[in-house]
Amino acid sequence: MKSTIVLYPAPAIGHLISMVELGKLILTFKPSLSIHIIISTAPYNSGDTAPYIATVTATIPSITFHHLPPTSIDSASLHHENLLFDLIRHSKPLVHQALVSISKNYTVHAFIIDFFCCETLTVSTQLKIPCFFFITSGASAMAFFFYLPTLHRNSQKSFKDQNTLLHIPGLPPIPSSDMPKPLLDRSDKAYDNFLACANDLCESTGMIVNTFESLEPRTIKAILDGLCVPEGRTPPIHCIGPLILTKEGKRNVRSESLAWLDSQPSRSVVFLCFGSLGSFTVEQLREIAVGLEKSGQRFLWVVRSPVSVANSGLPDPDLDSLLPDGFLDRTKEKGMVVKNWVEQVEVLSHDSVGGFVTHCGWNSVLEAVCAGVPMVAWPLYAEQRLNRVALVEEIKIALPMNESEDGFVSSDEVENRVNELMNSETGESVRSRVVRMKNEAKAAMANGGSSQVALTKLTESWN
């Protein structure tokens, strides 16, 4: 029988892309394998995955997608994360069926699941298939989740009420208020879901992480030394990154944003982009615009419909009504505003881009590292505030965007932070550090590099 590895990502586009890139990477090491990817339908709008899946299907015959039937869940939850956990729970029998069906024609050597899919760990145990977690974030997030049961035991209070610095092995002290939003209140169902998943990590065959050793050495060492699971087993850790989106085939037409970048001086443009779910209020969008204009810096800014507008089903932002009067006209020599989307990897790799204002999603962070572009860290959701602490204080490849207590960022802060990144000694220090990490990333993925050695060991264990 043929051999296969089955992957089960969370349905959000960022998680799917990371999982597919992992599948591609496995195939470069073990071309004799095939990859089967189980897809569930997202319980909320998390970015359209259909065009991406169609492209992968058309270009990589060794990757097969299995679409699970939609399941009905209660969508009244305040947190996307709760909806995801409910979806995975309800889909469990369907995943069991899919694995049994695949097993009829293939020997399944491993089942690799997203953190959110922890509920299906018992399915692989029943079927005696080795189960690995794939952490689409970095080692810092993994250290936090390993240590969460300890933090839970050490305090009776919710993170939102602790008003303290949390000391997680291998990480700088992190304000308790910087914990992922669904975890802030321990009476919330989401907290219980995350805590259960954190405990499940230790039951897995191993952890596959999208990072590389020299990017987060102190954090990885703390995990490997067992400090993050003081009262239990730390599973084997495989750091196989950086995994970033690779292009399928060549585009015939060069996009407007890349053509505009071609006309800009080297490293002169600040790129602002906030991920597939990153959306601001109208008031915040205007404040960003004022700050960019006052800074005098060249900019390429991706704008999505604000929260209120996005919910009304209007797909495209109306830039004239959202941005300050005359802003587009006054800044047209120095700036470009793009609606909804750009090819981020290509933009970051462009010689004209000298800085990146990012929501700190891990895919975006690794894309910036691989391009050698320094960052301003402006987290919006998920584990991004935790990522900011790691990027600013531990890895030192980003400057922080400082918010007011209600999360609002003033135009003065936007202006100051962008100028600091592009025109200061601090900015230069962050730039030289990220260029060093770019070289380290190349070395990790090269022959004999740490990530390549880790992946070789992992794939050989599936024989």
Side-chain angles (χ1 to χ4, degrees), residues 40-58:
S40 43
T41 306
Y44 55 86
N45 181 11
S46 60
D48 184 11
T49 57
Y52 174 71
I53 288 173
T55 305
V56 174
T57 302

Side-chain angles (χ1 to χ4, degrees), residues 71 95 98-99 101 109 133 154 203 235 269 286 315 317 389 434:
T71 55
V95 173
L99 279 172
S101 170
H109 287 287
F133 278 96
N154 288 350
E203 305 302 316
V269 175
R286 288 182 178 159
V389 174
V434 81

Side-chain angles (χ1 to χ4, degrees), residues 270-291:
V270 178
F271 174 46
L272 299 92
C273 190
F274 300 92
S276 55
L277 295 175
S279 187
F280 293 106
T281 61
V282 176
E283 189 188 5
Q284 183 65 83
L285 283 173
R286 288 182 178 159
E287 206 75 8
I288 295 170
V290 172

Side-chain angles (χ1 to χ4, degrees), residues 226-304:
L227 302 180
C228 297
V229 192
E231 295 182 22
R233 162 189 175 263
T234 302
I237 309 295
H238 309 275
C239 299
I240 51 82
L243 269 183
I244 62 169
L245 176 63
T246 52
K247 275 195 298 179
E248 310 302 343
K250 238 186 167 180
R251 287 194 186 88
N252 297 327
V253 185
R254 193 159 173 78
S255 74
E256 203 183 342
S257 47
L258 289 172
W260 180 79
L261 285 171
D262 290 342
S263 66
Q264 305 305 313
S266 178
R267 289 193 186 169
S268 66
V269 175
V270 178
F271 174 46
L272 299 92
C273 190
F274 300 92
S276 55
L277 295 175
S279 187
F280 293 106
T281 61
V282 176
E283 189 188 5
Q284 183 65 83
L285 283 173
R286 288 182 178 159
E287 206 75 8
I288 295 170
V290 172
L292 284 175
E293 188 172 357
K294 287 195 299 185
S295 77
Q297 299 291 342
R298 296 171 193 274
F299 63 87
L300 173 62
W301 178 19
V302 182
V303 172
R304 300 175 66 81

Side-chain angles (χ1 to χ4, degrees), residues 346-368:
E346 289 156 87
V347 167
L348 284 168
S349 306
H350 198 289
D351 177 64
S352 297
V353 173
F356 182 27
V357 181
T358 173
H359 64 314
C360 307
W362 195 248
N363 287 349
S364 294
V365 167
L366 290 180
E367 286 164 10

